[in-house]
Amino acid sequence: MLKIFKQNKRLTLSPNIQIGVVIENPMMVDERLPVPYTLSFEIPDTPENLREFGYPDRFGAHEGNKLFMASESRIEFGPISIFHGTLSLVEYDQTLKLTFKGVDFNESLKKAMFGKDFGEVIFDGSTSLFDWEDPASYYYHYKNWMNPLAYNTHPDYVAAPIHIKTNNSAFRWFYNRTDARDQEYTRKTTVYREMKSQYLNCFNPGDQSFLFPGRPTFAAPIFPLFRLKYLINKLVGDKLENSPFDATEMHDVLVPTFYFKYWDEVETVLLSSPWRVDPGYLKFEDYMPNFPANTFLKTILNLFCMTLTAHKGNFVITSNKDIFARPVKHNWSKKLIGNAIPTSIEGQMYDYGFSDPNYYKPDEEQIIKTVATLEAMRDATFNLADNDDSYSELFYITETEQYFVKSAFYSSYLSAGNTQYELVVDYEFKGYKEVTPKEEVADQDKFNAKADIKQLYLQPAIYWTGQEDTENKKFWIVPRWDPQTPTDTKKTARQIRPTDLSLLLYVGAKTVNGKNYPFLSPYKNDAISLKWDGNDGLITRYHQDFKSWIEKPRLKVKGSFLLSALDLNNPTITDKVHVNGRNFFIERIEYTIQHDRIDPANVELVEV
């Protein structure tokens, strides 16, 4: 017997009701998300039904769209609960026309990530009292929140330095300018100005903090890097039963942020709360990119070859590797009605990688100096004969497979009317070593396993240990972010929400000149690699079983199966089923539920 409940209240159904159901396996579609299914049906306008929907037959009962809003619902057949979702009224015309949505979170996930609630942090103390050491000051509590983020102690996010590519990426202390009277003068830049324009989370290895002592002491603007587990749990919600992102190896996979809604060119302490209104707080949605939340989920699941399924009102994220390793759970051989129709699926080319690979192919006549590490390139010596001389050399870094042009020259500036010279050293990232593409088979279809992720790259960059640290230039190795060029000429790159997604890994402490700093890598840490190929790469670790399955020809069968409510309720859509000596994955199930029975299901199966 079919039963439909609206907020635990059973509705009266027509004896000739029919509900058509189609369920697809998200592992076999590009989205990797539960395919939203919508069931439309009508129920009679009995007094009980009209009451449950707020009397839509009465004009006076309507207030805006109140009566048409979705509410929790479930569908049962006999004692077995088949579906959980939401039920909403579409129209009233002598009958109540209803829509049941079995997967209700996809609609809200179409919104950009900055429109979602990712939590906040609230700080004690007065925002009007500027004192880093006084517990009565907001800045004291902000400091105590900020500095530990460098040491990977917070369960949800970290902070570590990321260099920003600017128009004048070759750092110099002195710049020649011309005033309104066409008189030349020299301006010396400041650490305060540069740490804001050149960095996210500029770290001070001298003090092991994000503070830069001086008069006054300034803090580096903090742009948290959020753990994947935290963001996915926030997006899917408390109905997420389990997730591979809870695993230790995923703990330090981070999503960096590059934008803040209330970014200020002067202030370094970022706030979501109004200026000098207590308590001060930060809303994390103000950091989020202009990136659809469902596209974010799809991209991450694609990268790590995982599938999100809906089952019994909850959600489960499972690695495809684990899905393939599971034993067969269900034998449907005796449930097959008549003969199944066999067909064949051709093997597809598994097209993987990041969507924006930045490859570089040197000219054959170019001289290349090969070194093991970025530090070795940084420390490579050069000689300039005089102030007019310059240096340029192409390097290949074997550890990171990067090409750089290291260059140096003298920049002149005026000091007390005299010409002085400053040595300027620059590192221009050219691209990665080109990967030899897999040879394509003529007319072979491609399976899209690419991840729409724009990865950062490692780069030698200037750093400082205080506001007075202006004598020598010191370079550490950090990730670099290339901001998008704004289409609005009235805005800077820091004032537009990025539409790209990037990932970084927290590695730990890295040493430079005897001092430690928190180091991020776009490539690997001790637990995981974000490179696609190699023994510890994404393909070997997560994709191999699924990739091999996609690449081989597979048997596909279609047939009618007599499935009970228990048969339809027990399997997860990614379970394996056994039919007549062969093991299959379910690709698609289509069936009709009537008042007193479930019609035979049309099922499409693909061999494991």
Side-chain angles (χ1 to χ4, degrees):
M1 183 69 68
L2 176 64
K3 292 174 282 187
I4 299 177
F5 294 84
K6 177 181 181 290
Q7 294 179 329
N8 293 321
K9 297 291 182 66
R10 185 175 174 179
L11 302 175
T12 303
L13 307 180
S14 169
N16 59 356
I17 187 172
Q18 294 188 354
I19 301 176
V21 179
V22 177
I23 302 175
E24 295 180 88
N25 188 340
M27 188 179 74
M28 300 188 192
V29 297
D30 284 346
E31 295 296 322
R32 300 287 175 90
L33 303 175
V35 180
Y37 56 86
T38 300
L39 315 178
S40 298
F41 52 90
E42 299 179 15
I43 61 175
D45 59 345
T46 63
E48 295 80 10
N49 287 345
L50 290 173
R51 182 180 66 248
E52 291 304 320
F53 284 91
Y55 298 102
D57 57 327
R58 303 175 185 175
F59 285 177
H62 289 267
E63 299 177 14
N65 66 342
K66 180 180 177 181
L67 301 189
F68 299 91
M69 295 179 68
S71 56
E72 288 190 8
S73 176
R74 71 181 186 276
I75 297 176
E76 296 180 356
F77 195 88
I80 299 170
S81 179
I82 299 178
F83 298 119
H84 292 77
T86 61
L87 189 66
S88 56
L89 175 67
V90 177
E91 181 182 296
Y92 172 73
D93 182 12
Q94 306 305 315
T95 62
L96 296 159
K97 298 179 180 179
L98 307 178
T99 294
F100 177 92
K101 288 187 177 181
V103 179
D104 62 342
F105 77 92
N106 283 21
E107 191 66 30
S108 65
L109 287 183
K110 291 178 182 178
K111 298 177 182 177
M113 291 184 72
F114 67 84
K116 310 294 292 182
D117 181 10
F118 288 98
E120 64 182 3
V121 56
I122 301 174
F123 302 97
D124 293 331
S126 171
T127 54
S128 301
L129 177 60
F130 185 80
D131 194 323
W132 296 106
E133 304 302 327
D134 188 344
S137 171
Y138 160 87
Y139 295 89
Y140 170 86
H141 298 281
Y142 185 91
K143 176 191 70 174
N144 290 340
W145 167 79
M146 168 183 69
N147 282 335
L149 298 182
Y151 306 106
N152 203 24
T153 57
H154 198 283
D156 302 326
Y157 45 85
V158 305
I162 299 173
H163 191 249
I164 303 171
K165 184 177 181 180
T166 61
N167 293 331
N168 299 311
S169 58
F171 177 80
R172 64 192 74 186
W173 285 115
F174 299 97
Y175 294 88
N176 293 326
R177 296 287 186 264
T178 303
D179 62 20
R181 296 173 298 173
D182 290 332
Q183 298 294 313
E184 285 193 3
Y185 69 97
T186 296
R187 190 192 77 184
K188 185 175 183 180
T189 192
T190 63
V191 171
Y192 164 73
R193 181 183 290 113
E194 295 300 325
M195 75 173 187
K196 284 199 61 169
S197 65
Q198 291 207 38
Y199 275 96
L200 308 166
N201 310 318
C202 190
F203 189 74
N204 179 352
D207 283 0
Q208 292 291 291
S209 76
F210 293 104
L211 290 177
F212 287 80
R215 297 181 180 179
T217 293
F218 288 107
I222 297 300
F223 290 78
L225 296 95
F226 292 94
R227 302 190 195 279
L228 273 183
K229 173 185 174 181
Y230 177 76
L231 294 181
I232 288 172
N233 287 349
K234 284 289 185 180
L235 288 174
V236 181
D238 56 7
K239 290 189 176 182
L240 182 60
E241 283 188 346
N242 68 334
S243 163
F245 297 106
D246 296 340
T248 302
E249 68 192 61
M250 293 287 185
H251 183 259
D252 294 328
V253 183
L254 308 170
V255 178
T257 57
F258 309 109
Y259 168 90
F260 186 68
K261 183 177 181 180
Y262 304 105
W263 168 254
D264 189 295
E265 297 292 345
V266 178
E267 285 297 317
T268 62
V269 174
L270 305 182
L271 276 172
S272 299
S273 52
W275 175 244
R276 292 192 174 180
V277 173
D278 298 333
Y281 59 84
L282 276 171
K283 284 186 173 292
F284 293 140
E285 66 185 79
D286 294 335
Y287 286 101
M288 293 299 160
N290 186 10
F291 200 83
N294 58 356
T295 304
F296 168 79
L297 270 177
K298 169 191 171 182
T299 302
I300 297 303
L301 294 173
N302 209 40
L303 179 67
F304 294 105
C305 201
M306 297 177 181
T307 300
L308 175 65
T309 55
H311 186 56
K312 297 183 180 179
N314 292 314
F315 299 102
V316 178
I317 297 177
T318 311
S319 168
N320 286 0
K321 176 178 66 175
D322 292 339
I323 291 173
F324 275 83
R326 289 173 178 168
V328 177
K329 290 187 176 181
H330 313 283
N331 191 333
W332 285 3
S333 298
K334 294 182 178 180
K335 299 179 183 297
L336 177 64
I337 302 173
N339 296 320
I341 302 172
T343 59
S344 177
I345 299 176
E346 294 295 326
Q348 297 170 279
M349 177 183 173
Y350 201 73
D351 191 21
Y352 64 89
F354 294 121
S355 57
D356 66 334
N358 183 9
Y359 296 133
Y360 176 73
K361 188 174 182 179
D363 296 333
E364 291 184 3
E365 63 273 12
Q366 281 185 282
I367 299 174
I368 304 171
K369 185 171 183 176
T370 299
V371 294
T373 64
L374 288 162
E375 288 86 352
M377 175 184 67
R378 176 197 62 192
D379 298 338
T381 59
F382 56 87
N383 293 306
L384 298 182
D386 53 44
N387 293 333
D388 295 323
D389 197 7
S390 62
Y391 157 81
S392 180
E393 191 169 15
L394 177 63
F395 283 80
Y396 175 67
I397 318 300
T398 56
E399 183 182 56
T400 58
E401 300 180 326
Q402 291 174 281
Y403 287 98
F404 277 91
V405 170
K406 179 179 180 179
S407 60
F409 59 92
Y410 282 104
S411 175
S412 63
Y413 63 94
L414 296 175
S415 177
N418 298 316
T419 300
Q420 302 291 331
Y421 294 91
E422 176 186 7
L423 178 63
V424 178
V425 180
D426 190 27
Y427 301 89
E428 181 188 1
F429 173 58
K430 305 299 289 185
Y432 292 101
K433 180 181 179 181
E434 192 170 14
V435 176
T436 303
K438 181 180 178 181
E439 187 174 343
E440 297 186 19
V441 178
D443 300 325
Q444 185 182 36
D445 291 337
K446 291 183 179 180
F447 181 88
N448 182 18
K450 288 195 170 183
D452 189 14
I453 290 177
K454 184 177 181 180
Q455 282 299 72
L456 279 61
Y457 54 90
L458 290 180
Q459 168 92 23
I462 192 81
Y463 75 91
W464 311 275
T465 56
Q467 292 190 60
E468 304 304 319
D469 185 11
T470 61
E471 298 304 320
N472 299 313
K473 294 175 183 173
K474 303 180 291 292
F475 292 86
W476 57 11
I477 309 300
V478 290
R480 172 179 271 188
W481 169 52
D482 292 2
Q484 295 172 247
T485 302
T487 54
D488 186 345
T489 57
K490 295 181 181 179
K491 292 185 177 181
T492 67
R494 304 293 294 276
Q495 293 173 316
I496 60 170
R497 288 188 188 270
T499 55
D500 297 324
L501 175 66
S502 302
L503 293 180
L504 286 168
L505 302 173
Y506 186 91
V507 178
K510 193 175 183 70
T511 302
V512 59
N513 293 322
K515 303 290 185 180
N516 290 337
Y517 68 96
F519 177 58
L520 303 167
S521 172
Y523 310 127
K524 64 183 297 183
N525 61 16
D526 290 340
I528 192 170
S529 171
L530 293 181
K531 293 185 176 183
W532 284 90
D533 295 305
N535 293 333
D536 60 348
L538 295 168
I539 291 294
T540 300
R541 191 161 191 171
Y542 299 104
H543 290 251
Q544 193 59 62
D545 292 337
F546 185 67
K547 176 176 178 289
S548 298
W549 183 70
I550 290 293
E551 291 175 334
K552 72 177 183 179
R554 285 154 284 158
L555 173 67
K556 178 174 180 176
V557 299
K558 301 178 183 179
S560 294
F561 290 79
L562 189 61
L563 301 176
S564 67
L566 189 61
D567 293 326
L568 294 169
N569 180 63
N570 277 344
T572 299
I573 191 65
T574 53
D575 282 350
K576 298 172 185 174
V577 298
H578 182 85
V579 179
N580 294 347
R582 309 286 280 265
N583 298 328
F584 297 90
F585 286 121
I586 303 166
E587 183 177 28
R588 191 173 190 268
I589 300 178
E590 182 177 354
Y591 59 94
T592 299
I593 305 176
Q594 301 200 45
H595 194 274
D596 57 352
R597 67 183 184 275
I598 298 176
D599 291 346
N602 295 318
V603 182
E604 298 178 18
L605 303 170
V606 179
E607 189 171 23
V608 175

